[in-house]
Amino acid sequence: MARLFAQISVSLDGFIEDRDRNIDWMTEDTAVDALHTRTLGEIGGMIFGRRAHAAIAGFWIDAAAGRMAMSPDLAKQTERMTALPKYVLTHGDDAGDWVQSRAIALDGIACLKAEAARPVAVFAGAGAIQSVLAAGLIDELRLIRYPVVLGGGTPLFADDGQRRRLVPVGREDFASGAILERFEI
């Protein structure tokens, strides 16, 4: 059985995007590029929420088509993002046009974990992570915490009144001030 972890960027006040759904406060930080490259090298697949998948697919499709200048890390990430299976958490069967994308229901994730040979990552969005977390399927939470307060936006965690104890298992600091915090669930 493979481990399932969620890895996502978050502001100090717990948001994954601002009120305008802007994420430039994290995407402009090249200090964490090597982390993303390393993470993509260790997984066997990735899960996205339907809206998050649709929002980022265009970027990676353009990158794979060579429509942008790329650092060595971005080139490696593009190769892995294209090759890896992408599971779109949805109630329907539409997985979009991004290569290697397929729809998956929440109740299919346990089977995916059981069959996977390598870890699987849940990368985005908040609703997907909240659903998979509430179902008890996430083994580890990896937060890339940025030194920014957004004052509002899309919260990472549901306002469901449920307390969850997390066990710290690692930390990595980046020159930009971002910090990767890892927790077992």
Side-chain angles (χ1 to χ4, degrees):
M1 176 178 278
R3 290 179 52 81
L4 179 69
F5 66 88
Q7 180 170 307
I8 193 162
S9 297
V10 63
S11 67
L12 285 178
D13 51 349
F15 298 103
I16 64 164
E17 59 189 9
D18 69 16
R19 285 190 172 117
D20 297 325
R21 297 187 167 240
N22 191 340
I23 60 170
D24 63 347
W25 51 274
M26 70 171 111
T27 58
E28 295 172 355
D29 184 1
T30 59
V32 298
D33 283 353
L35 166 67
H36 296 308
T37 303
R38 187 172 70 236
T39 300
L40 289 170
E42 70 186 41
I43 63 174
M46 57 192 114
I47 299 170
F48 297 94
R50 184 183 49 79
R51 285 187 306 247
H53 181 271
I56 67 170
F59 173 85
W60 292 106
I61 290 169
D62 285 349
R67 295 187 194 115
M68 60 183 70
M70 286 191 243
S71 68
D73 272 311
L74 186 56
K76 288 178 191 169
Q77 291 170 27
T78 300
E79 180 182 306
R80 293 295 295 162
M81 291 294 286
T82 302
L84 283 167
K86 291 162 276 298
Y87 301 95
V88 182
L89 188 59
T90 181
H91 298 290
D93 59 3
D94 182 23
D97 298 330
W98 193 6
V99 66
Q100 298 284 359
S101 294
R102 57 193 77 135
I104 191 169
L106 183 62
D107 61 6
I109 294 177
C111 185
L112 175 65
K113 283 178 67 170
E115 294 174 358
R118 299 180 76 193
V120 177
V122 183
F123 283 139
I129 290 175
Q130 291 169 8
S131 295
V132 180
L133 184 62
L137 296 168
I138 294 179
D139 301 301
E140 181 182 345
L141 186 60
R142 299 178 183 182
L143 301 179
I144 306 167
R145 190 171 303 276
Y146 283 85
V148 62
V149 174
L150 298 177
T154 304
L156 174 57
F157 297 106
D159 185 12
D160 60 6
Q162 185 174 349
R163 182 181 297 185
R164 292 179 178 86
R165 282 273 178 224
L166 306 177
V167 178
V169 293
R171 173 187 168 123
E172 185 176 347
D173 294 61
F174 299 92
S176 65
I179 301 168
L180 169 67
E181 298 171 303
R182 296 177 52 198
F183 302 93
E184 291 286 331
I185 298 176

